Amino acid sequence: MSTTPPIPARHAMTTKGSNREDIRRHNLSAVLTLLSRTGQMPRSALTELTGLNRSTISDLVTELEDLGLVTESEAVTTQGVGRPSLMVSPAEEVVAFAVNPDIDAITVGVVSFSGRVIAKVRQTTTVQPAATTAAETANKLIEQLRKDLPANYRIAGIGVAIPGQVRHADGVVRLAPHLNWVEVPFARMLQQLTGLPVYIDNDASLGSLAERDFGAGKGFREIVYLFGSAGGIGGGVIHDGIPLRGAAGYAGELGHVRISDSPNEDGSGLTGTLESLVRRDVLLNALGLINADDEQLAAALAADKSAKVRKIIEAQIDALAIAVGNYVNIFNPEVILLAGYLSTLFAYDSDRLLSRFRWSSLTASQDRMVVRQAALGANLLMVGAAGLALAPLVNAPASTQLTPVRSK
């Protein structure tokens, strides 16, 4: 069975190459990493960024093209001078499926090598889906999407974003409290149904990596990421460009940090935590909504002017501000990214959050630090989960097997 690497190679990879033949695999990976993150790049830029000479880059690009992983387009001239340089792009025909089971819906998408969401379908649920139900539903949605893909597409695998703790060695969900999953071998279950390699990780950890590579975290090396969903609040910390994983891979549970003496419990039974005080379901109930994605929730908030709803939101923003202040003190990040439901709160009254988090953080730690909304929106977890499935291919382009979209 395929398992998740402790730190996905797509996200931990250096882009500096070497001309030594005995690390050709590294050089292929360095080139493919750059292309997967940028979408398109001239050969001259690959030469400059990897530190490799032009002939080596030419050989590497040719090999990747022969493998069907990149394509080259018409030559272009930079600023009208110099020799034209061929543009190199990751092959759009290489894709991964992304799966996100949550308490209100099961979402499946198809994502290209360059992080573009080609298609996505969201099937809502009325009750917490059991693991077997989630796997079977995901399999049906994958089959549906697979039929609509062109016949020349090839599949790297399936990445799964789980709202809970995941053991990376064997793809077991240790605890997803909102789903009521305990010690569930979800990677194996989905792989048996689909016949595709399955890779699995915590949803917030994957979201932080997606934002680092493709979103609002691009260009930053010290990032604190907070994600709110129907399944609670999670987080991810990027230190020096690398995800902070912890001894057993469970680091980043920022939603379970205690910020109050409130007796309210979060999904794991802990009291006074960020997750226990900032709850999406409370706001949905106040708005009279049974089930809504983040875009629908934002639209409902914009239309509602009631004092009751505003009081709920202001209390949640104040709780979020205390937590943000604590994370500023602990991690001293360059940027704090708010995603999902938390992005909706920030958009509702950013001034309130920005003024209040400073009350609980040290002045020096705030220097040059910014708070931003995550940029990938509703596609965040699709991009993050797909990146997990594409990581082995980026790490070992010449030896990773791809599956034709049409079964023989």
Side-chain angles (χ1 to χ4, degrees):
M1 186 191 75
S2 300
T3 57
T4 303
I7 299 175
R10 177 187 178 102
H11 306 301
M13 189 68 200
T14 176
T15 56
K16 287 294 182 182
S18 170
N19 285 312
R20 294 173 55 188
E21 194 63 31
D22 60 348
I23 56 171
R24 185 173 185 80
R25 167 177 150 168
H26 170 82
N27 291 342
L28 284 169
S29 180
V31 170
L32 204 53
T33 297
L34 283 169
L35 292 171
S36 67
R37 291 182 181 178
T38 60
Q40 187 180 65
M41 187 176 289
R43 278 195 184 188
S44 56
L46 289 171
T47 300
E48 179 181 353
L49 292 171
T50 61
L52 299 170
N53 61 47
R54 287 193 302 176
S55 62
T56 300
I57 285 294
S58 178
D59 290 343
L60 293 171
V61 169
T62 297
E63 184 171 348
L64 290 171
E65 193 170 20
D66 290 342
L67 291 168
L69 302 180
V70 305
T71 59
E72 289 190 287
S73 57
E74 291 287 333
V76 297
T77 302
T78 304
Q79 297 178 344
V81 297
R83 293 181 59 187
S85 180
L86 289 171
M87 297 297 293
V88 187
S89 307
E92 289 295 298
E93 296 81 10
V94 177
V95 298
F97 287 105
V99 176
N100 174 222
D102 215 328
I103 64 172
D104 61 344
I106 297 168
T107 308
V108 177
V110 185
V111 184
S112 75
F113 216 159
S114 59
R116 182 173 66 91
V117 177
I118 297 171
K120 183 173 68 172
V121 58
R122 182 176 185 266
Q123 182 165 316
T124 59
T125 59
T126 55
V127 295
Q128 295 170 315
T132 52
T133 301
E136 290 168 357
T137 300
N139 179 46
K140 291 178 182 177
L141 296 177
I142 287 169
E143 288 179 348
Q144 173 186 325
L145 291 170
R146 193 168 177 172
K147 289 177 183 178
D148 294 333
L149 291 174
N152 64 328
Y153 274 42
R154 293 176 297 159
I155 303 165
I158 302 169
V160 184
I162 293 289
Q165 294 180 315
V166 176
R167 186 168 63 215
H168 304 98
D170 55 8
V172 169
V173 179
R174 297 295 308 277
L175 175 65
H178 294 277
L179 292 171
N180 199 28
W181 295 2
V182 179
E183 300 294 339
V184 173
F186 193 74
R188 185 183 65 187
M189 293 166 61
L190 189 56
Q191 181 166 322
Q192 288 175 343
L193 289 170
T194 63
L196 295 169
V198 177
Y199 306 85
I200 185 170
D201 201 352
N202 171 264
D203 56 357
S205 295
L206 294 176
S208 69
L209 295 170
E211 285 291 334
R212 186 202 63 182
D213 291 342
F214 301 105
K218 204 166 186 176
F220 293 101
R221 299 190 65 78
E222 303 291 338
I223 304 169
V224 170
Y225 167 89
L226 287 167
F227 173 71
S229 73
I233 296 177
V237 178
I238 305 291
H239 170 59
D240 196 24
I242 303 298
L244 181 66
R245 305 293 301 194
Y250 305 134
E253 291 288 356
L254 303 181
H256 299 297
V257 172
R258 198 162 189 258
I259 61 170
S260 167
D261 59 3
S262 166
N264 292 349
E265 292 186 354
D266 64 19
S268 297
L270 302 177
T271 60
T273 63
L274 173 63
E275 181 178 287
S276 72
L277 298 176
V278 179
R279 294 178 51 185
R280 191 175 186 273
D281 61 322
V282 170
L283 187 55
L284 286 177
N285 289 337
L287 290 166
L289 298 174
I290 298 175
N291 195 324
D293 61 23
D294 289 330
E295 293 176 354
Q296 293 167 333
L297 175 57
L301 276 177
D304 188 285
K305 306 300 180 184
S306 68
K308 175 185 176 182
V309 168
R310 182 162 189 87
K311 183 177 180 180
I312 291 171
I313 292 180
E314 288 180 346
Q316 294 197 11
I317 289 174
D318 291 348
L320 177 58
I322 293 172
V324 167
N326 288 336
Y327 304 142
V328 170
N329 291 338
I330 296 167
F331 299 109
N332 187 209
E334 297 172 283
V335 61
I336 288 184
L337 300 178
L338 302 176
Y341 173 55
L342 304 184
S343 178
T344 302
L345 291 181
F346 185 61
Y348 186 87
D349 194 344
S350 59
D351 289 341
R352 187 180 184 94
L353 188 144
L354 292 174
S355 64
R356 280 163 171 72
F357 93 80
R358 293 186 174 90
W359 298 350
S360 56
S361 60
L362 299 170
T363 302
S365 300
Q366 300 171 21
D367 289 349
R368 297 184 299 278
M369 197 280 298
V370 296
V371 180
R372 288 182 174 179
Q373 289 177 271
L376 297 179
N379 288 330
L380 174 67
L381 293 184
M382 297 293 96
V383 175
L388 190 65
L390 289 163
L393 176 62
V394 174
N395 187 46
S399 57
T400 301
Q401 295 294 317
L402 298 175
T403 304
V405 73
R406 300 284 183 265
S407 301
K408 293 183 179 180

